[in-house]
Amino acid sequence: MKMKEKMHTGDLYLCGDEEIMQEQFNEIRQKVNADLETISSMKEIGDLKAKYLGKSGEITSLMRCMKDLAPDQRASYGKFVNELKEEVSLIIAKKEEQVKQAETLAK
């Protein structure tokens, strides 16, 4: 299986190897959860969305790897990345709702 290396903000993304891909996805999940623990404002929520889901975010960078994969690998890789993106979006949305409620109560 051919692997391609992609650099993104100091992280190494290897496209094509499913085991490494799952490790990377788990690392991103862990980083998101760790970042969420420190968030207490809507501005921080916006920064977190940009960091992971924005135009140059980590998950968006994973999607860019697809062009380097063999055609038969793209579908499964894209599915994994889309599931990760959806999962991270939901986690951030839940935290966003909590922060909104906390800010409303603080007023």
Side-chain angles (χ1 to χ4, degrees):
M1 189 176 302
K2 187 175 180 182
M3 289 190 290
K4 297 281 185 171
E5 296 180 2
K6 287 288 179 187
M7 295 301 291
H8 170 73
T9 62
D11 295 327
L12 179 64
Y13 293 121
L14 298 172
C15 299
D17 186 301
E18 193 169 320
E19 187 175 318
I20 292 172
M21 190 173 57
Q22 285 299 331
E23 287 177 26
Q24 291 173 338
F25 292 179
N26 288 334
E27 286 176 23
I28 290 173
R29 284 182 188 99
Q30 291 171 355
K31 290 189 319 188
V32 168
N33 287 320
D35 288 347
L36 283 172
E37 291 179 16
T38 64
I39 295 209
S40 60
S41 73
M42 291 305 293
K43 183 199 178 311
E44 292 171 328
I45 291 283
D47 293 344
L48 188 70
K49 284 181 181 179
K51 180 178 179 179
Y52 292 102
L53 304 170
K55 189 167 98 173
S56 59
E58 290 191 37
I59 295 174
T60 306
S61 292
L62 291 173
M63 290 299 283
R64 289 191 186 110
C65 283
M66 280 185 41
K67 70 179 176 9
D68 297 322
L69 294 174
D72 63 324
Q73 295 175 323
R74 289 180 187 155
S76 63
Y77 182 81
K79 180 182 176 209
F80 284 127
V81 174
N82 282 330
E83 287 172 359
L84 176 65
K85 183 177 181 179
E86 186 175 318
E87 180 182 338
V88 169
S89 295
L90 289 171
I91 292 169
I92 292 173
K94 286 180 186 178
K95 182 65 173 187
E96 184 174 13
E97 193 59 38
Q98 293 171 353
V99 170
K100 281 180 186 178
Q101 289 176 355
E103 286 182 353
T104 300
L105 291 174
K107 291 182 181 181

